[in-house]
Amino acid sequence: MAEMHLPGATRELADLRRRLAPEPEAAFRAFSKAVFAEGALDARTKQLIAVAVAHVTQCPWCIEGHVQAARKAGASGEEIMEAIWVAAEMRAGAAFAHSLKTLDLLAAEEDGKT
């Protein structure tokens, strides 16, 4: 099996993305800037949320960028790891919660409804 190649973020690739679709690129950057701006949640909290979500979505670039941004915003290593554990519990919790579908099917089978 071939190893997966994950290219690093380079100026050349960023420029190519911008040239191929400049309007969506600009809109995405503006959206990102608005989302991470100080508001009801401070920058540190927003970055901790982003760290957790990046681990659930399993995006290595998001993990790297948001861990660095969380540290810059003042998050400790302990806070970052705790956010990751919250993400892990939520991901596992979804499988646990969705087991109700299987249990319902099994119960129906036992009751002769299938």
Side-chain angles (χ1 to χ4, degrees), residues 4-78:
M4 183 186 313
H5 171 69
L6 298 174
T10 64
R11 169 73 61 199
E12 293 77 20
L13 291 176
D15 288 345
L16 177 59
R17 179 177 49 217
R18 193 174 303 107
R19 279 195 316 273
L20 292 173
E23 290 177 16
E25 167 87 13
F28 181 79
R29 293 203 177 273
F31 175 63
S32 183
K33 184 176 180 180
V35 165
F36 285 99
E38 292 272 342
L41 296 174
D42 61 25
R44 186 183 127 283
T45 301
K46 288 183 177 189
Q47 288 302 331
L48 287 169
I49 292 168
V51 166
V53 172
H55 281 79
V56 170
T57 60
Q58 300 175 334
C59 174
W61 299 282
C62 298
I63 291 168
E64 184 174 334
H66 290 291
V67 166
Q68 290 171 351
R71 294 293 281 163
K72 185 176 178 183
S76 69
E78 291 83 2

